[in-house]
Amino acid sequence: MYEIKARNPSIAWKNIMTLINNYGTNIVSDQGLTREILNLCVEIQYPLEGYPIEGTGWDLPALEKYASDLCNFSYDLKGFDYNYCERMGRQVYHVIELLKNYPNTRQATIYLWIPEKDLETKLYKPCQVVADYKLRQGRLHATHFFRSHDVQDAYPQNIYGLGKLQKSISDELGCNPGTLSTISASAHYYIR
């Protein structure tokens, strides 16, 4: 297990890329040639600080659009096999209600994996499969599990969007956002 603790996503992203460069293994997956490390845990203190991240190609308007698509729930897939807002959908409402009624619950968990669709078809599958929220000492902490995480091309906008979602849920609960953590079973980038 690799662990990184960082103040903000910019620092985290640079540390992740260095870690993969230094300790990763080149593998050929069904998606192509990648450099990968297994089981990466990253904890970010301030998930919305330090944007845009230099070297990623994501400016603030593009990040805001991504976050808006994530946080404004719709079942319109916009031509894709899935999207995160469609998968999270009503679950966010129920997580908020659960945390309002039982602030110390350990059940505020959102599932994005639909076995009948994701295992049994050739459609694209979500990389993030679980989002979990814990309200502790007046702060909402978020943990996201990714079965596969393209660190170079997807990590910056994933964290920005998930940070915005965490802030939105925190606002509904009347608390402050806490840390945002990701656990990536495969943290990688594509070698092109």
Side-chain angles (χ1 to χ4, degrees), residues 59-110:
D59 61 12
L60 282 176
L63 290 166
E64 284 295 333
K65 171 78 171 98
Y66 180 86
S68 176
D69 287 346
L70 175 66
C71 294
N72 296 311
F73 302 109
S74 165
Y75 292 105
D76 177 4
L77 300 184
K78 300 175 184 173
F80 296 99
D81 292 334
Y82 77 91
N83 61 41
Y84 287 131
C85 72
E86 171 252 348
R87 292 292 177 105
M88 291 180 163
R90 295 178 357 189
Q91 294 183 76
V92 171
Y93 167 80
H94 292 289
V95 158
I96 291 168
E97 291 304 305
L98 187 60
L99 287 165
K100 282 180 180 176
N101 292 317
Y102 305 98
N104 292 325
T105 188
R106 292 184 297 270
Q107 298 178 24
T109 304
I110 294 171

Side-chain angles (χ1 to χ4, degrees), residues 171-184:
D171 289 348
E172 287 283 329
L173 296 172
C175 68
N176 292 316
T179 58
L180 188 154
S181 298
T182 57
I183 301 168
S184 304

Side-chain angles (χ1 to χ4, degrees), residues 11-102:
I11 295 167
W13 184 75
K14 290 171 186 161
N15 289 341
I16 294 166
M17 292 300 290
T18 299
L19 188 68
I20 294 172
N21 283 332
N22 291 341
Y23 299 103
T25 303
N26 290 354
I27 66 156
V28 178
S29 74
D30 52 342
Q31 300 294 312
L33 180 61
T34 61
R35 186 156 184 88
E36 168 190 75
I37 58 173
L38 299 178
N39 302 317
L40 171 65
C41 183
V42 179
E43 180 183 84
I44 301 170
Q45 278 186 301
Y46 301 100
L48 294 176
E49 179 184 281
Y51 279 97
I53 299 174
E54 187 178 326
T56 65
W58 284 84
D59 61 12
L60 282 176
L63 290 166
E64 284 295 333
K65 171 78 171 98
Y66 180 86
S68 176
D69 287 346
L70 175 66
C71 294
N72 296 311
F73 302 109
S74 165
Y75 292 105
D76 177 4
L77 300 184
K78 300 175 184 173
F80 296 99
D81 292 334
Y82 77 91
N83 61 41
Y84 287 131
C85 72
E86 171 252 348
R87 292 292 177 105
M88 291 180 163
R90 295 178 357 189
Q91 294 183 76
V92 171
Y93 167 80
H94 292 289
V95 158
I96 291 168
E97 291 304 305
L98 187 60
L99 287 165
K100 282 180 180 176
N101 292 317
Y102 305 98

